[in-house]
Amino acid sequence: MNTRHLHASGQPWSTIIRRYRLTHNLKQTSLAEDLNVTQAMVSRWESGAACPGPSMQKRILALINPQSNAVPMTGWRDMQARSPEMVAIIAQDGHVETVSEGLLRETGLDRVQFEGLRVSDLFGREAEALRLHLVGMGFFKGQIEAVETTGQMDFRPQGQEPVKQRIHALHIPRRDLDGTYKWIANAAVVSEGEQQILLSELAGHCRIIQSI
């Protein structure tokens, strides 16, 4: 990769921009408005087709929330529940505690059909394998900033046949007010072509994201 496309930390600007947008539940159009650029330009940055210039890089970094994920944030759960994106808050043991309005809309279910169930019951073996992987890497101890993945979600609504979808997701540890860490999973459905690009960018199905 061309070094001008890299932040001083060694991370691609495409990753930094996409991560900021996903963690703040922003559409590309909203981020474009914040930066006074076009949505097409944000899309080119995220795909790696273009790189923001030095002055724009400073503006982008100024937007990034410096608050650590280790600091409890009052009201964060309600904020995620109202999100129009596909978001789930999951406990270390795999129980789904909160889901977003966007996830309910995407699946056509209500909260009673989601909250309190285990990710393995809802999303199959792949989701349970990911949970165990996160536990093993210290995710629920706040030892990493985030994990980015792409793969196939095997959605299993109760009493219905499984629905398979290609997913791109960002997984963020967030310390709750009781001191325990929760798993915030931000997901989006992607096309086969988009997933192939992601597999190349991530060098596989999973990438750990460290602080910049």
Side-chain angles (χ1 to χ4, degrees):
M1 178 180 291
N2 191 322
T3 55
R4 74 183 182 87
H5 285 241
L6 302 178
H7 179 264
S9 65
Q11 294 185 42
W13 279 100
S14 58
T15 296
I16 293 171
I17 295 168
R18 182 172 63 241
R19 181 184 65 194
Y20 171 79
R21 187 171 63 79
L22 287 173
T23 55
H24 289 76
N25 296 315
L26 293 174
K27 299 285 190 182
Q28 287 186 345
T29 51
S30 297
L31 180 57
E33 290 175 3
D34 289 343
L35 295 172
N36 197 28
V37 298
T38 65
Q39 181 271 330
M41 181 56 70
V42 173
S43 178
R44 284 172 57 78
W45 289 339
E46 290 194 9
S47 69
C51 181
S55 61
M56 183 57 68
Q57 290 175 8
K58 292 180 180 179
R59 291 181 63 184
I60 292 169
L61 291 176
L63 282 177
I64 296 177
N65 187 355
Q67 182 181 25
S68 169
N69 284 338
V71 179
M73 182 175 69
T74 303
W76 66 270
R77 188 181 295 273
D78 289 340
M79 180 182 70
Q80 298 294 348
R82 293 193 302 270
S83 172
E85 309 301 327
M86 295 170 59
V87 183
I89 300 175
I90 306 162
Q92 180 174 341
D93 65 5
H95 282 90
V96 178
E97 296 186 349
T98 305
V99 294
S100 68
E101 293 178 2
L103 185 55
L104 295 175
R105 183 184 64 251
E106 182 72 24
T107 59
L109 300 181
D110 58 35
R111 294 191 184 278
V112 175
Q113 294 171 290
F114 251 118
E115 296 175 355
L117 297 179
R118 293 181 59 85
V119 291
S120 56
D121 296 327
L122 288 164
F123 304 117
R125 291 179 298 176
E126 293 84 356
E128 178 62 9
L130 175 59
R131 183 188 71 83
L132 293 175
H133 186 53
L134 294 177
V135 171
M137 67 173 63
F139 181 91
F140 291 97
K141 296 179 180 179
Q143 295 177 349
I144 56 178
E145 181 179 351
V147 175
E148 186 176 9
T149 63
T150 188
Q152 183 168 275
M153 181 180 74
D154 188 9
F155 178 58
R156 299 168 176 267
Q158 289 181 313
Q160 301 179 38
E161 289 297 316
V163 178
K164 297 183 182 295
Q165 292 179 310
R166 296 181 182 87
I167 292 294
H168 173 220
L170 191 68
H171 312 276
I172 307 162
R174 166 63 70 182
R175 189 160 69 88
D176 209 344
L177 295 176
D178 64 0
T180 63
Y181 278 87
K182 306 300 182 182
W183 166 15
I184 303 180
N186 297 266
V189 177
V190 296
S191 68
E192 183 177 2
E194 290 171 325
Q195 187 172 66
Q196 289 304 313
I197 294 173
L198 286 166
L199 287 169
S200 177
E201 289 183 355
L202 303 183
H205 290 273
C206 179
R207 173 173 62 185
I208 297 174
I209 299 174
Q210 301 292 351
S211 300
I212 64 173

